[in-house]
Structures are given as C-alpha cells and as structure tokens.
Amino acid sequence: MSGICGVVMGGGSAVEPGVVAAMVGAASHRGPDGTGEWSEGSAALGQLALDLSAGAGASAGSGARQPVVGPGGGPVLVADARVDNRDELLAALGTDRPAGGAPSDGELLLAAYRRWGIGCAAHVLGDFAFAVWDRSRQRLFCARDPMGMRALYYRVEPGRVLFATEVKQILAVPGVPCQIFEPAVAGYLAGAFGRLEWSFYEGIDQLPPAHALVVEAGGHRTWRYWDADPGERIEYAAEDDYAAHFLELFKAAVRSRLRSARPVGVSLSGGLDSGSIAATAGWLMHHEPDHGPPALRAYSYAFQELAACDERYISDRIAGHWQIPVTAVPADDAWPLVDYPEHGPDRDAPHLFVYQARIERTLAAARADGVATLLSGDRGDLVAGEYIYDYPGLLRSGRWPTLARELRWLGALRGRSTLWAVRNYLLGPTLRFGFPENRTPRLQRPILRAYRALRPPRRMLPPWLAPEMKASLDDFAVDLSGRPGSSMVGIARRQRYAVIFTPVHMRWVVHSERTAARFGVAFADPWSDLRLARFALAIPQRVLNRTGEDKRLTRRAMRGVMEESARQSARKIPPTPLWELALRDRARDTILDLIEGSRAADRGWIDGAGLRSHYREIEAGGREHPYFWYTLALEWWLRLHG
C-alpha cells in the first residue's frame, strides 16, 4: 500500500516548487513509514512508504528508502511493489545485479530497467506499479503488473506529465481541473465500468494492467507488454499430478505474501478460497517458521441475529487446525449504508462493494492488532471456480456418453431439465465464446456473428439510465458484457480467460487496495498470483470443475493442508439477508434521502422519477435491479465529492 507520484516537465522547464509535496500530502495515509522526494531539473518524484521489512533488517527485501537513485546520473525509480521472483531476477541480472547484500525490491526493479530497458516489466513477477525517470534519455517509463493489483494514473498536458497511485494526488496539483468524465459514470451505472484506461475524471487516465507507458520528447505511448500464451499447455496422466502442481504454486503464492516482518492477517470466511489461504499460511508457518511473519491472525464475520449468514462453524475449524488466532468481527449491525455518511467513498471513485461497512470493520480490527498485510481470496472463484464446465470440449473430443451424463446431472442438481443444461452450458458458451476469429471454421463464422448481433445484452441496463448516457457508451463502443478479448483456443479456456481478466474485477482489486490503504494496511490476494492464472489457463478445464464438484482441483489439492471436515464442507454463504434487511428496513430513510433530489438526476445522468418508482417496487416486494446499488453509491459519492 505504498504510493508513488511524480511530475516531468517538457522543454527543459524546471518543476514548480511544491508540486510533489502536494501530491504526497494528498495520500499521506500511504506513508506510515515515511516519505521520500527527489528533484532534478525537469523531473521530480515522490514515494510514500509502508515498509514491511521494518524491524527485520535488509534481508526482508522490501525496504530501502525511495526514490532509488542510480549512480552517475543514472535512472531514478519510485515503486509501489512486491517482487516475488527475486532469486530468478538476481540470477538473470548476473553482473548487473545491485551491489551489497539483499537488495530492496525497488533496487531490483531499477537494476531490471538498467538491464532490459522498457522491456523490463515482462521479467518481473509480483504486484507492482513503478516509474523510472531516465535522466540520460530524458524519458519517463511506467509499468503496472498483469493482474492489476497496484494502480497507476497519469495526466498528459502540453508541457507537463503527472503520474500517481491515486487520482486525488493528481487533482491536488495546481492547475489540474476537477471535471467528472461522464462516459465513466455511464459505464459505472451500467455495471460494465467502461474502458480500463478510464478514471472518473476528465483528462486523467489509468494505465491498464499488463501495460507500460513511455513519455519522451516525441510524445507518449502505451502498449501491452504481457498476455497469456494461448499455446501454453500442461497435461498430466493423473489428477493427483495436477493437484500437486497446483499446491506447489499456491504455496509459493501464499509464501510470497507472507514475506513480512510485521503481522499478517487473513480475511477468513467459510468458503474454499479464503480457507485455502488460511490453511496454507498455517501450514507454511508450521513447516517454515523462520521465513514467515512474526504473527498470523484471521478475521471472520460474526452473525448472531442473522445466524444463517454465519460461517464460523467452518472457518473456526480451518483456523483451529493450525492454531491461528481468530478475531470475530461483529456483522449484524454492519449493514450497507449503516451510519451514513460514514464509510463514505473515496474521492477517486464511488464505492463498488455493497458490504463496504463490513470490510472497513475488518480492516479496523486488523489495524488495531498491528497487522500490516491483510490477505483476501478475491480471485479464487475466477481462477478455479465460476461454474465453467468444459461441455463443449467433451463434445469436440467425442466423449458423448460422459457429456450426456454430466448434463443430466447438472440439470438435476439445479432443479432444471437436461434441455436447460444443454441450452445454457453447451450451446450458450459455444455461441457466446466460439473460437478466435482467425481460427473459426469458415462456415461457422456467419452463425457466430448472427448470434452475437441478435443475442440480448448480457448486462441489463438500468431503466432509469438517461438516453444520453446510454448513447455515450455506444459512442465509445463499450462492450457491456465486460468480457476481454482473447486468442485462447477452446471455449472453456476462453471463458476462464474472460473471468480472470474481466475489467470489472480489475477495478475491484484497485478498490480493495485503495480501501485497505486508508487503514494503513497492505492488500494482497494469493489467488491473484500470475503463476496460478497461467496454470489455470494451461490445464484441461475439466480438471478445475466437474458437474457437482465445483472447485474440484482446489479441494483435492488441500488434502493434508486444510482440516479434513472443513475441506469437504467448505462453502461460501452470501450475506444477502444483510442487504435485504438494509434495503427494505434499516437503511430505508437513507436510501430515500439519496434518491430524493438526486444530483445525478440534476446532471441529466438518470431519470429521477424512474429511480424512485423502482424503489417503490422494491418496497412492495418487487425484485431489485442488479445495478441499483451503483446508483445509490454514485449519489453518495456526488454528495461528498461532486
């Protein structure tokens, strides 16, 4: 949760005094362990530090002060980063490795830039956003990790370039206008969130994940430096071999995020995703005590009134097996919009999570315990679950008896017919995802194009969204499906790629990181490790999930790591009753306050009467529109920051 910022002037102009100080001050919560600034001529850089190696000496590897300044007029770097392939990088750098003992992550990144130049990011594994000012070339280079775990925003003006971890840092610079970017608002209200390069402010762009930025005398450009290899395949004869390989990678992912001289916490539910993290962390702490943090704690939501939402009957067994202390976070009175306007949205963007109050309670408890990093299983469903069954693969490979049996089972499990299963899990994915256009058989292409043209939008637009806002999405050709393009071969692989790299989730992890940073806590998700994503895309998709055995591979890999009864019964229980209680009772007055005299309606973004009518339907027992929350959250944001 460190932060970075900087400014580069064009034409050799000197940086105005106080610019970086203003940017640092706008995100001071990101620098509990101090700040650093560097300035020379036309460039100035700043960094805010959370040093996870504090108290452990240089061996922890994350810490040395930044900016990191290269000798003899060399490049200067600032980074918000955790480098996970330190040993591999050091070996690859050879004689170019930093001098001294164990270099900091920042020193490693600077050495990588000196060795590989603007191609350096492809050699780095971990969560990172960093910027390099190359003094000899008068060039600014920035890069962001492929899984989008660290944010980076920038603004290019005539004669000046600004960059920062948070939008508010750029807005703090004198002369930067604060103008809301309406297409981003339209994408947010439509549940698609627009393009990944959009922020909510005119003229401030986000560098997309797996992208790099160069700014030099001839202008600026961005490019994608990494994408999944569609030809990568991992095939074993036995399922246990897949499970062993997965467990090896998962231990590496958790181990990397336990690299801390300060206590680490786990947000632990009764689901398999966070349960696997806690169990693996406990296993590592038991078997590798010299390489982990000084303490490990778990945080679980405690429901008394809404007892059906309580998952501690599973999570306590997971934690107890490895003697991980558990803090119960009271959740019955942490309904959405509780204590409004507390738990308010950040200036950067409206809230994404309806259960923000619960999340903030967990972070507050972790901070009180001295926890510096909180682990979460946000991407577990996407990497290893999401009900992606490879029925099209079974069809293409001629395994028809198996296909028929599994489709019958699926229909029975869901209380539906076999025809329903065929339509939704065989024909639907085949027509929606098809094949890469350049590999689609000629006769199939018109069928796929006709289906894509005629199928209804996968995202149902709110009826109260103003026509002008809908038109802005069309103008920018926003794909309302939220599905990234892919050259993956195989329908199930294309589905897996789409959910792992969905733009919506790329924004969710930024929101999670920014929320945690406000509490002085670093956010980390082992399921967002690039090694796991590559593995999940390379193996046969039927290994990950089977009909009636969702997350089959994860559950199999956790044998001997997770407490056995919990391994078999682990399941996530959505806290939907908490939202329903708020929606129709406890938060009713707040909701009415938000939708009466709507500022979004005043700006012409929504139809206020239509929004009020929808809420009356909800109060009468009608079904809530899936994006109703986003409109409420936007109103909240506008009242605080609009």
Side-chain angles (χ1 to χ4, degrees), residues 152-176:
L152 189 68
Y153 297 91
Y154 66 98
R155 176 178 171 84
V156 178
E157 302 174 340
R160 184 172 70 173
V161 177
L162 304 161
F163 69 86
T165 300
E166 299 193 13
V167 173
K168 66 178 67 64
Q169 295 174 269
I170 296 176
L171 292 174
V173 175
V176 173

Short mmCIF file of all heavy atoms in Angstrom, two decimals, residues 152-176:
data_model
loop_
_atom_site.label_atom_id
_atom_site.label_comp_id
_atom_site.label_asym_id
_atom_site.label_seq_id
_atom_site.Cartn_x
_atom_site.Cartn_y
_atom_site.Cartn_z
N LEU A 152 -2.05 2.84 -11.17
CA LEU A 152 -1.22 3.95 -11.63
C LEU A 152 -2.06 4.82 -12.56
O LEU A 152 -2.62 4.34 -13.56
CB LEU A 152 0.03 3.46 -12.36
CG LEU A 152 1.04 4.57 -12.68
CD1 LEU A 152 1.67 5.10 -11.40
CD2 LEU A 152 2.13 4.05 -13.61
N TYR A 153 -2.16 6.10 -12.22
CA TYR A 153 -2.90 7.07 -13.02
C TYR A 153 -1.93 8.11 -13.56
O TYR A 153 -0.88 8.37 -12.97
CB TYR A 153 -3.98 7.75 -12.18
CG TYR A 153 -5.03 6.79 -11.65
CD1 TYR A 153 -4.87 6.17 -10.41
CD2 TYR A 153 -6.16 6.50 -12.39
CE1 TYR A 153 -5.82 5.28 -9.92
CE2 TYR A 153 -7.12 5.62 -11.92
CZ TYR A 153 -6.94 5.01 -10.68
OH TYR A 153 -7.89 4.14 -10.22
N TYR A 154 -2.29 8.71 -14.69
CA TYR A 154 -1.41 9.73 -15.26
C TYR A 154 -2.23 10.75 -16.03
O TYR A 154 -3.37 10.50 -16.46
CB TYR A 154 -0.35 9.09 -16.16
CG TYR A 154 -0.88 8.43 -17.41
CD1 TYR A 154 -0.88 9.09 -18.64
CD2 TYR A 154 -1.39 7.13 -17.38
CE1 TYR A 154 -1.36 8.48 -19.79
CE2 TYR A 154 -1.87 6.51 -18.52
CZ TYR A 154 -1.86 7.19 -19.72
OH TYR A 154 -2.35 6.58 -20.85
N ARG A 155 -1.64 11.91 -16.19
CA ARG A 155 -2.25 13.01 -16.95
C ARG A 155 -1.17 13.63 -17.84
O ARG A 155 -0.10 14.03 -17.34
CB ARG A 155 -2.84 14.06 -16.02
CG ARG A 155 -3.41 15.29 -16.73
CD ARG A 155 -4.02 16.28 -15.76
NE ARG A 155 -4.38 17.54 -16.39
CZ ARG A 155 -5.52 17.75 -17.05
NH1 ARG A 155 -6.40 16.77 -17.16
NH2 ARG A 155 -5.77 18.92 -17.61
N VAL A 156 -1.44 13.68 -19.13
CA VAL A 156 -0.52 14.27 -20.09
C VAL A 156 -1.07 15.62 -20.52
O VAL A 156 -2.17 15.71 -21.06
CB VAL A 156 -0.33 13.36 -21.32
CG1 VAL A 156 0.61 14.03 -22.33
CG2 VAL A 156 0.22 12.00 -20.90
N GLU A 157 -0.31 16.67 -20.24
CA GLU A 157 -0.68 18.03 -20.61
C GLU A 157 0.38 18.60 -21.56
O GLU A 157 1.49 18.06 -21.64
CB GLU A 157 -0.73 18.93 -19.36
CG GLU A 157 -1.68 18.47 -18.29
CD GLU A 157 -1.58 19.32 -17.03
OE1 GLU A 157 -0.53 19.99 -16.86
OE2 GLU A 157 -2.52 19.31 -16.24
N PRO A 158 0.07 19.64 -22.27
CA PRO A 158 1.12 20.33 -23.03
C PRO A 158 2.19 20.84 -22.07
O PRO A 158 1.93 21.68 -21.21
CB PRO A 158 0.37 21.48 -23.70
CG PRO A 158 -1.06 21.05 -23.75
CD PRO A 158 -1.27 20.25 -22.50
N GLY A 159 3.36 20.28 -22.17
CA GLY A 159 4.47 20.76 -21.34
C GLY A 159 4.56 20.13 -19.97
O GLY A 159 5.45 20.49 -19.19
N ARG A 160 3.69 19.14 -19.63
CA ARG A 160 3.78 18.54 -18.30
C ARG A 160 3.10 17.18 -18.28
O ARG A 160 2.06 16.97 -18.89
CB ARG A 160 3.12 19.47 -17.27
CG ARG A 160 3.25 18.96 -15.83
CD ARG A 160 2.75 19.99 -14.83
NE ARG A 160 1.30 20.19 -14.86
CZ ARG A 160 0.63 20.94 -14.00
NH1 ARG A 160 1.29 21.60 -13.04
NH2 ARG A 160 -0.68 21.07 -14.10
N VAL A 161 3.71 16.24 -17.56
CA VAL A 161 3.13 14.92 -17.33
C VAL A 161 3.12 14.66 -15.83
O VAL A 161 4.13 14.87 -15.14
CB VAL A 161 3.92 13.81 -18.04
CG1 VAL A 161 3.33 12.44 -17.70
CG2 VAL A 161 3.92 14.02 -19.53
N LEU A 162 1.98 14.20 -15.32
CA LEU A 162 1.82 13.87 -13.91
C LEU A 162 1.44 12.40 -13.79
O LEU A 162 0.69 11.88 -14.62
CB LEU A 162 0.71 14.72 -13.28
CG LEU A 162 0.85 16.24 -13.40
CD1 LEU A 162 -0.49 16.92 -13.16
CD2 LEU A 162 1.90 16.76 -12.42
N PHE A 163 1.93 11.72 -12.77
CA PHE A 163 1.52 10.35 -12.51
C PHE A 163 1.42 10.13 -11.00
O PHE A 163 2.09 10.81 -10.22
CB PHE A 163 2.50 9.34 -13.13
CG PHE A 163 3.86 9.31 -12.49
CD1 PHE A 163 4.11 8.51 -11.38
CD2 PHE A 163 4.90 10.09 -12.99
CE1 PHE A 163 5.37 8.48 -10.78
CE2 PHE A 163 6.15 10.08 -12.40
CZ PHE A 163 6.39 9.27 -11.29
N ALA A 164 0.59 9.15 -10.60
CA ALA A 164 0.40 8.90 -9.17
C ALA A 164 -0.35 7.60 -8.96
O ALA A 164 -1.01 7.07 -9.87
CB ALA A 164 -0.36 10.05 -8.52
N THR A 165 -0.28 7.11 -7.73
CA THR A 165 -1.02 5.91 -7.34
C THR A 165 -2.51 6.18 -7.25
O THR A 165 -3.32 5.32 -7.58
CB THR A 165 -0.52 5.39 -5.98
OG1 THR A 165 0.87 5.08 -6.09
CG2 THR A 165 -1.28 4.17 -5.52
N GLU A 166 -2.89 7.36 -6.80
CA GLU A 166 -4.30 7.70 -6.64
C GLU A 166 -4.63 8.95 -7.44
O GLU A 166 -3.80 9.86 -7.59
CB GLU A 166 -4.64 7.90 -5.16
CG GLU A 166 -4.41 6.66 -4.31
CD GLU A 166 -5.02 6.76 -2.92
OE1 GLU A 166 -5.84 7.68 -2.69
OE2 GLU A 166 -4.70 5.92 -2.07
N VAL A 167 -5.87 9.01 -7.90
CA VAL A 167 -6.32 10.15 -8.70
C VAL A 167 -6.23 11.44 -7.90
O VAL A 167 -5.85 12.50 -8.43
CB VAL A 167 -7.76 9.91 -9.19
CG1 VAL A 167 -8.31 11.15 -9.88
CG2 VAL A 167 -7.82 8.72 -10.14
N LYS A 168 -6.59 11.37 -6.62
CA LYS A 168 -6.62 12.58 -5.80
C LYS A 168 -5.26 13.25 -5.73
O LYS A 168 -5.17 14.46 -5.51
CB LYS A 168 -7.13 12.26 -4.39
CG LYS A 168 -6.22 11.37 -3.57
CD LYS A 168 -6.75 11.13 -2.17
CE LYS A 168 -8.00 10.31 -2.19
NZ LYS A 168 -7.78 8.93 -2.71
N GLN A 169 -4.18 12.49 -5.91
CA GLN A 169 -2.85 13.09 -5.91
C GLN A 169 -2.66 14.00 -7.12
O GLN A 169 -2.00 15.04 -7.03
CB GLN A 169 -1.79 11.99 -5.90
CG GLN A 169 -1.77 11.14 -4.64
CD GLN A 169 -0.80 9.99 -4.75
OE1 GLN A 169 -1.15 8.90 -5.18
NE2 GLN A 169 0.45 10.24 -4.39
N ILE A 170 -3.20 13.59 -8.25
CA ILE A 170 -3.09 14.42 -9.46
C ILE A 170 -4.00 15.63 -9.34
O ILE A 170 -3.64 16.75 -9.72
CB ILE A 170 -3.42 13.58 -10.70
CG1 ILE A 170 -2.37 12.47 -10.87
CG2 ILE A 170 -3.48 14.45 -11.96
CD1 ILE A 170 -2.64 11.51 -12.01
N LEU A 171 -5.20 15.42 -8.77
CA LEU A 171 -6.12 16.54 -8.59
C LEU A 171 -5.57 17.59 -7.62
O LEU A 171 -6.00 18.74 -7.65
CB LEU A 171 -7.46 16.02 -8.07
CG LEU A 171 -8.28 15.15 -9.03
CD1 LEU A 171 -9.51 14.59 -8.33
CD2 LEU A 171 -8.69 15.94 -10.27
N ALA A 172 -4.63 17.19 -6.76
CA ALA A 172 -4.06 18.13 -5.80
C ALA A 172 -3.06 19.10 -6.42
O ALA A 172 -2.65 20.08 -5.78
CB ALA A 172 -3.37 17.36 -4.67
N VAL A 173 -2.66 18.85 -7.66
CA VAL A 173 -1.67 19.70 -8.32
C VAL A 173 -2.34 20.97 -8.83
O VAL A 173 -3.38 20.91 -9.50
CB VAL A 173 -1.00 18.94 -9.49
CG1 VAL A 173 -0.05 19.85 -10.25
CG2 VAL A 173 -0.27 17.71 -8.96
N PRO A 174 -1.77 22.14 -8.53
CA PRO A 174 -2.36 23.40 -9.03
C PRO A 174 -2.51 23.38 -10.55
O PRO A 174 -1.62 22.93 -11.28
CB PRO A 174 -1.34 24.45 -8.59
CG PRO A 174 -0.67 23.86 -7.38
CD PRO A 174 -0.60 22.38 -7.66
N GLY A 175 -3.67 23.84 -11.00
CA GLY A 175 -3.93 23.93 -12.43
C GLY A 175 -4.60 22.73 -13.04
O GLY A 175 -5.01 22.78 -14.21
N VAL A 176 -4.75 21.63 -12.27
CA VAL A 176 -5.43 20.45 -12.80
C VAL A 176 -6.93 20.61 -12.58
O VAL A 176 -7.38 20.73 -11.44
CB VAL A 176 -4.94 19.16 -12.13
CG1 VAL A 176 -5.79 17.96 -12.57
CG2 VAL A 176 -3.47 18.91 -12.47
#
